[in-house]
Amino acid sequence: MIAILKYNAGNIQSVENAIQQLGYDTVVTDDEEVLKSANKVIFPGVGEASSAMAYLVERGLDKVIRDLTQPVLGICLGMQLLCKSSEEGNVEGLGIFDNEVKLFPSDDIVPHMGWNDFNKLEGALFKEIKVTDDFYFVHSYYATLSESTIAINNYIVPFSAALQKGNFYAVQFHPEKSGRVGELLLKNFLEL
């Protein structure tokens, strides 16, 4: 069973549809026991960091997520909340990744929106994916670079397009909206 974390942020339905198209059973939940017993957990999201984090804290899900031992994938806002802090609402994150989430400088159009490839890719999440493959991004905030960075994109500044530490994986782009390569990335995660 693949648990998709319910946490007061959007985009859950498109992630659920993408996982089901790959042949997996899903459940959308904020139930602690269901999350702990799932084979994999996906932490998706389109929304605002401080309100989404408040939902997690209010339900004790911040502690539950930190203690998960199965593979966990954060997508977009889900990735940002796995970091130590975000300038969006000046909120403390879950601290899985030692990255800060910052607002893009206004040197170009913000949000960063569209199809982009990478400067660097590594790890099992990107099996059979090339740096020239395009994924769909839409975000105004970015995670800084750190030793957990496994993919780098450059928009105004270089930023972490993907992170990995232990059983936690995270991507800034939307694999569920990225066609064939997005499907491949989700398949790679589900087969970990």
Side-chain angles (χ1 to χ4, degrees):
M1 175 66 65
I2 310 303
I4 299 173
L5 180 64
K6 174 184 168 187
Y7 70 107
N8 201 28
N11 207 40
I12 288 175
Q13 188 65 55
S14 58
V15 172
E16 184 176 29
N17 291 343
I19 301 304
Q20 289 173 350
Q21 285 178 356
L22 290 169
Y24 290 83
D25 292 328
T26 61
V27 60
V28 176
T29 185
D30 61 3
D31 181 275
E32 176 178 345
E33 294 310 313
V34 175
L35 290 167
K36 286 180 179 177
S37 65
N39 294 34
K40 309 273 189 316
V41 174
I42 298 180
F43 187 178
V46 171
E48 192 274 329
S50 61
S51 60
M53 194 66 202
Y55 184 92
L56 295 177
V57 171
E58 184 179 296
R59 286 159 181 76
L61 294 171
D62 54 330
K63 295 176 183 71
V64 172
I65 294 164
R66 286 185 189 105
D67 292 339
L68 293 174
T69 56
Q70 69 272 60
V72 176
L73 176 64
I75 297 173
C76 197
L77 180 60
M79 169 180 166
Q80 294 177 3
L81 294 179
L82 289 170
C83 294
K84 70 179 178 182
S85 65
S86 176
E87 288 184 351
E88 186 177 25
N90 294 313
V91 67
E92 185 178 321
L94 294 167
I96 302 295
F97 301 113
D98 191 32
N99 301 67
E100 295 175 331
V101 175
K102 299 183 173 200
L103 179 64
F104 277 116
S106 58
D107 299 357
D108 203 336
I109 297 168
V110 177
H112 170 218
M113 185 167 25
W115 296 85
N116 284 118
D117 56 11
F118 304 97
N119 300 347
K120 165 191 167 179
L121 286 180
E122 62 184 42
L125 206 56
F126 294 103
K127 180 180 164 193
E128 297 181 32
I129 296 172
K130 302 182 292 291
V131 292
T132 54
D133 286 328
D134 287 324
F135 284 85
Y136 184 72
F137 289 82
V138 56
H139 59 120
S140 297
Y141 293 82
Y142 68 94
T144 56
L145 302 177
S146 75
E147 60 187 37
S148 298
T149 301
I150 59 171
I152 297 173
N153 185 271
N154 191 9
Y155 183 77
I156 306 174
V157 295
F159 67 88
S160 293
L163 299 165
Q164 193 258 318
K165 182 178 181 182
N167 59 306
F168 287 90
Y169 299 79
V171 295
Q172 180 60 65
F173 50 84
H174 287 275
E176 77 282 5
K177 296 180 185 222
S178 296
R180 180 199 62 80
V181 290
E183 185 176 284
L184 179 55
L185 183 135
L186 289 172
K187 182 174 178 283
N188 289 343
F189 171 72
L190 294 167
E191 292 177 354
L192 289 172

